[in-house]
Amino acid sequence: MLDSKPYDIIVVGGGHAGCEAAAAAAKLGSRTLLVTMNLQTIGQMSCNPAMGGVAKGQIVREIDAMGGLSGIVTDKTAIQFRMLNRSKGPAMWSPRAQCDRWRFAEEWRLQLEAIPTLDFLQDMAVDILVENDKAVGIVTSMGSKVRGSAVILTNGTFLNGLIHIGERQMGGGRAGEKAATGITERLIALGFEAGRMKTGTPPRIDGRSLDYGQFEIQHGDENPEKFSYHPSTKALITQRPCHIAYTNERVHDLLQEGFSRSPLFNGTIQGTGPRYCPSIEDKISRFADKDRHQLFVEPEGWNTIEVYVNGFSTSLPEEVQVKALRSVKGFEKAKFFRPGYAIEYDYFPPTQLSLTLETKRVENLFFAGQINGTTGYEEAAAQGLMAGINAHRKIHKESTVILGRSEAYIGVLIDDLITKGTDEPYRMFTSRAEFRLLLRQDNADVRLTEAAHSWGLAGDDRLARVREKRKNTEEIEATLAASSVSSEAANQVLSTKGTSLVVQKVRAIALVSRPQLRLSDVIPLIKEETTEAFLDTEAVEQAEINIKYAGYITKEKEHVDKLSRLENTPLPASFDYASMKALSIEARQKLIKIKPASIGQATRISGISPADISVLLVHLGR
């Protein structure tokens, strides 16, 4: 039975965005209701059983640094951990974990149920209650009217979801679950612009039917790390391996024979698919010169026999999928648990939102996740977290929380969506961040935890830990700067590293700055000077990166300082762009539509020229 007292915040949808939004709002003190069509699928990994990856791993660490739960849930359910791009610079290092799919959803449920101010309702939201252009609640399929001060929509792929397998179509938000109806129609009636997007998923296979001797084995890291900065989670001791297989020309030929029945090619699918995670038929069509493509054979958990075939996303007819996949070495006797499929769903171009993820058209209504045109658990979770924080602060008349592009990948993500929009599923990459050396996965807590503690989301224990890490890092750097190493001792190490020798004693920090040496090579040379700070592995890593990349980090910080003037020059929401004839027509149209919050945001809108920015600055008296 629902409480008749209005809620502070109602979150619609129990995916990654919904879970983080509900957790954040409730932990901050708002009476929160999470409404989902199926309480048994809260936090479900709808597609691949993994968290993180290039840039996505940085996002998960940022969520954790601010007191979100994705990192903790990942650590508690991981079956393998890898730090990607270790051969490159630290700006590119990206953590990724394979997870136990069933344990992951269970852990999310347990984490949410432990929050006393969070209630749950299993039902479908079919309408939004709006009064005086403010969202004041929802209507469910059972006819219940639930009132709340703010509503956060995190509907994922469920809005008028349509599943495609060859010529077959069925309504659904994902396999075995019905689509959500009513919300799209209501939003359009309120004046919102809607669009269609498409994503897909590969077949699930019985692992007992595969010949693993035909695959390359892919182990986790020898010394695995973890996602959460919180000491309540531990790094893996044992891990499950993944495997790598390859398609071949025979596989490609069989897939092409089914193209005439593919909804992707025969015009059945109208939605735009993800550019950077294409289906297998899209890959062999776009990259016809490639005679093979990589497939990752990923276990779905510790004990299950189910396998996820990463890289073989498809919507081809089932019999075509079976015939083609069985032509991959090692898959000759593959048994299918279920075929791959594509899904089309409604989304709402995110230029209709402010940087807080509140809609411009309806006050106290927030969007987060795939409803905004993104793809991926991590991007969705990040938006959910920020929507939950800002919805809570809005109804409690507190200042908004907006992360800048130099503060977090989450800031880059949201700024890209709101300022540039997207007409294809948006995925985060390190290349999207102009300050990626500052936005590393190792320093997310240093960047964000103190601010999150001031909002009330990150606990005292997190604040104490990050302050200790910062102190230890500074102590390590100071010790290295003050310690000298004799030329004889230094040369013993340098001669083994293929780098030039020294003729006199040298500061330890100068040795660490050499690209051929690691901090671990230098510590034995100053053993008597080391303190307990050197036992803090996170601080040691921070210090080494700070020393080796000091010049580059300084330049990036100087660049941020130069741009801060533009970012801190606000543009009033009431600014009359239409009357400013000195602006180009395109500039006027886009400024009216997007309503940038600052001059800095205006500079990133496509079609806004430097001349237009000059006009704005003149009107502002700058």
Side-chain angles (χ1 to χ4, degrees), residues 209-224:
S209 64
L210 302 181
D211 181 1
Y212 286 89
Q214 299 293 320
F215 305 148
E216 297 175 12
I217 193 166
Q218 186 180 57
H219 292 291
D221 288 349
E222 186 175 346
N223 297 302

Side-chain angles (χ1 to χ4, degrees), residues 72-315:
I72 289 174
V73 172
T74 300
D75 286 346
K76 290 193 172 186
T77 61
I79 63 175
Q80 187 195 88
F81 183 94
R82 295 176 66 223
M83 185 67 74
L84 307 182
N85 291 332
R86 272 289 192 186
S87 62
K88 300 179 181 178
M92 303 294 287
W93 298 351
S94 303
R96 184 181 190 271
Q98 290 291 133
C99 294
D100 186 312
R101 184 190 298 276
W102 292 271
R103 278 283 301 115
F104 187 91
E106 178 188 38
E107 187 60 40
W108 253 121
R109 176 80 177 258
L110 294 173
Q111 292 284 337
L112 293 173
E113 288 183 353
I115 305 173
T117 50
L118 178 58
D119 290 346
F120 303 86
L121 175 64
Q122 181 168 295
D123 203 344
M124 181 197 298
V126 296
D127 197 0
I128 303 162
L129 297 174
V130 177
E131 297 174 0
N132 299 319
D133 296 325
K134 283 187 178 182
V136 295
I138 62 167
V139 180
T140 74
S141 63
M142 300 292 287
S144 300
K145 289 185 177 180
V146 189
R147 297 186 72 86
S149 300
V151 176
I152 304 174
L153 297 183
T154 69
N155 304 81
T157 60
F158 282 79
L159 292 179
N160 292 324
L162 184 63
I163 292 172
H164 298 266
I165 305 176
E167 297 98 335
R168 293 164 50 208
Q169 298 176 19
M170 61 205 85
R174 60 182 164 224
E177 298 182 60
K178 63 183 180 180
T181 57
I183 293 293
T184 293
E185 293 72 19
R186 175 59 165 153
L187 290 173
I188 291 174
L190 287 168
F192 287 91
E193 175 191 350
R196 276 304 251 183
M197 280 190 177
K198 166 259 175 187
T199 189
T201 192
R204 308 302 199 272
I205 304 298
D206 184 337
R208 298 171 300 182
S209 64
L210 302 181
D211 181 1
Y212 286 89
Q214 299 293 320
F215 305 148
E216 297 175 12
I217 193 166
Q218 186 180 57
H219 292 291
D221 288 349
E222 186 175 346
N223 297 302
E225 300 177 38
K226 62 192 187 84
F227 270 102
S228 180
Y229 294 98
H230 201 275
S232 64
T233 67
K234 305 299 179 185
L236 287 167
I237 297 174
T238 59
Q239 304 183 68
R240 279 203 68 176
C242 297
H243 293 81
I244 300 174
Y246 295 92
T247 63
N248 53 57
E249 292 183 353
R250 170 66 176 158
V251 174
H252 297 182
D253 290 341
L254 290 170
L255 290 169
Q256 286 178 315
E257 289 176 10
F259 276 10
S260 61
R261 301 166 62 197
S262 167
L264 188 65
F265 294 120
N266 63 20
T268 305
I269 290 178
Q270 300 296 317
T272 305
R275 177 188 302 265
Y276 300 105
C277 190
S279 64
I280 187 65
E281 56 263 40
D282 200 16
K283 279 192 279 191
I284 65 173
S285 174
R286 285 164 52 187
F287 307 107
D289 57 316
K290 304 289 185 183
D291 57 9
R292 71 174 191 172
H293 293 284
Q294 208 170 42
L295 304 177
F296 294 91
V297 184
E298 300 176 344
E300 296 259 348
W302 282 114
N303 302 309
T304 181
I305 59 172
E306 189 171 353
V307 166
Y308 179 91
V309 190
N310 196 339
F312 205 87
S313 174
T314 181
S315 59

Side-chain angles (χ1 to χ4, degrees), residues 292-348:
R292 71 174 191 172
H293 293 284
Q294 208 170 42
L295 304 177
F296 294 91
V297 184
E298 300 176 344
E300 296 259 348
W302 282 114
N303 302 309
T304 181
I305 59 172
E306 189 171 353
V307 166
Y308 179 91
V309 190
N310 196 339
F312 205 87
S313 174
T314 181
S315 59
L316 286 165
E318 187 172 356
E319 62 273 19
V320 176
Q321 296 184 34
V322 172
K323 200 171 180 181
L325 193 55
R326 285 180 177 169
S327 295
V328 174
K329 281 187 178 181
F331 282 84
E332 291 86 354
K333 297 179 180 180
K335 294 180 181 178
F336 279 55
F337 278 180
R338 77 164 193 241
Y341 61 86
I343 181 168
E344 282 187 289
Y345 56 93
D346 294 334
Y347 85 104
F348 291 82

